[in-house]
Amino acid sequence: MLKPEKADPLMKDKSAPSKVDKVVEKADNERSVKRASGLAPKLIYEVIRREGEEELHRSTRALLWSGIAAGMMISFSVVGEAIFRTYLPDQPSSFLIENLGYSLGFLIVIIGRMQLFTENTIVTVLPVIHDPSAENLGRLARLWALVLAANVIGAFAVAYLFVYTPALPAQIAPALTELSRHATGFEPHVAFFRAVPAGILIAALVWMLPEAESNAFLTIVTFTWLIAAGDFTHIVAGSVEMAYLMVQGELGFPAAMRQFFLPVLAGNIIGGTVVFTLMAYAQVRGE
């Protein structure tokens, strides 16, 4: 009769987790918690600040070409809105759908990493707040001037394309003209106050993008749709509409500066920098 084999005391139970397995499991759990909790405000601040430092050191040539590209591509926000307005039925609810077209140009510019002036009211300001040296202030002034000028050049380039070539379908032109008259037809003080929420929303969008990751598309669409649906004014997208009327001789330079450009520029800067960026910095300053 066979005797049962004795268990070898040196052999371990393979079903029991080893110390290595426990360490790996613990590490996985910690990563899951971090992913679930998201980035802390101080980490978002640091991501944007470092990006801003890189932008402040970019060459003049790179800033100009990127800014011109952004000024041209943002025109698809106006064109998208005009397409929806042209073909949607004339109903009150159509307004909400129509403004989805406004997101198209912003998607191209932001995902394409082009230089948009209103993004720089937060991205390039944080490094200056962190280190308010004369050198950094000079870099900020240089970048703002270059990018704003380049955005406007791009806006005028695409306006000439729309007016003097058959690039724009004839059936869309009336809607584009109507949108342009509306965007540039506010009283100066109204244009200014409508620009403040737009500046806040763009800065908030930039602040949220590091956390959004795979949801960046939806985040951009939501925030830019809100700018259009709220009838807020944006300096770069509005510059396309301003240029479209100016190229046709419908809007003169003094009126364009007084009614649209200067008050909207001031409102976007105050909303993006004075309101949102300073508040964002205040919450992480102690950390």
Side-chain angles (χ1 to χ4, degrees):
M1 186 174 179
L2 295 174
K3 295 181 180 180
E5 294 182 359
K6 294 181 179 180
D8 188 346
L10 298 177
M11 293 184 64
K12 295 181 180 179
D13 184 3
K14 293 183 179 180
S15 63
S18 66
K19 289 183 179 180
V20 175
D21 292 334
K22 290 180 179 179
V23 170
V24 171
E25 183 180 357
K26 183 179 179 181
D28 289 339
N29 289 338
E30 288 178 354
R31 282 194 291 269
S32 298
V33 170
K34 287 180 179 179
R35 282 196 297 267
S37 61
L39 293 175
K42 62 181 179 180
L43 295 179
I44 295 175
Y45 161 81
E46 189 62 19
V47 169
I48 298 174
R49 185 186 69 81
R50 292 186 181 184
E51 181 183 346
E53 286 184 347
E54 292 179 4
E55 296 296 332
L56 289 174
H57 288 86
R58 290 187 71 182
S59 68
T60 298
R61 182 176 181 178
L63 290 172
L64 281 174
W65 283 113
S66 183
I68 291 171
M72 296 182 70
M73 293 300 104
I74 203 71
S75 66
F76 286 101
S77 286
V78 185
V79 171
E81 210 174 352
I83 290 172
F84 277 112
R85 176 167 291 197
T86 300
Y87 295 108
L88 282 174
D90 188 13
Q91 297 178 356
S93 60
S94 297
F95 175 78
L96 298 177
I97 303 173
E98 168 191 315
N99 288 301
L100 286 172
Y102 191 75
S103 300
L104 297 178
F106 285 93
L107 283 167
I108 298 171
V109 170
I110 295 174
I111 294 178
R113 308 291 292 175
M114 300 172 194
Q115 286 286 346
L116 190 67
F117 176 79
T118 45
E119 284 188 86
N120 283 301
T121 58
I122 177 171
V123 174
T124 53
V125 171
L126 287 181
V128 177
I129 296 175
H130 180 76
D131 179 17
S133 63
E135 186 178 8
N136 275 343
L137 287 169
R139 287 189 181 124
L140 178 64
R142 163 186 165 272
L143 184 142
W144 274 19
L146 285 172
V147 171
L148 181 60
N151 287 167
V152 174
I153 290 170
F156 270 91
V158 83
Y160 275 99
L161 178 71
F162 289 163
V163 173
Y164 291 110
T165 74
L168 188 72
Q171 59 267 34
I172 297 174
L176 186 58
T177 300
E178 185 180 357
L179 288 167
S180 300
R181 288 171 180 167
H182 176 75
T184 59
F186 293 111
E187 290 293 323
H189 71 282
V190 175
F192 167 78
F193 284 109
R194 293 284 180 92
V196 173
I200 293 172
L201 287 170
I202 291 295
L205 167 60
V206 173
W207 184 264
M208 292 181 66
L209 281 178
E211 177 70 10
E213 295 182 349
S214 59
N215 294 319
F217 180 92
L218 183 59
T219 304
I220 295 169
V221 169
T222 301
F223 276 76
T224 53
W225 172 84
L226 186 56
I227 291 173
D231 206 12
F232 304 133
T233 48
H234 186 271
I235 186 62
V236 185
S239 288
V240 175
E241 296 163 315
M242 176 191 75
Y244 185 69
L245 296 180
M246 291 180 71
V247 168
Q248 298 179 84
E250 189 173 324
L251 182 65
F253 180 79
M257 292 295 104
R258 183 182 66 254
Q259 291 178 206
F260 171 77
F261 195 84
L262 294 178
V264 172
L265 176 62
N268 283 170
I269 291 174
I270 289 175
T273 297
V274 178
V275 177
F276 188 89
T277 303
L278 291 182
M279 287 195 304
Y281 176 72
Q283 70 171 320
V284 301
R285 183 180 179 184
E287 300 177 345

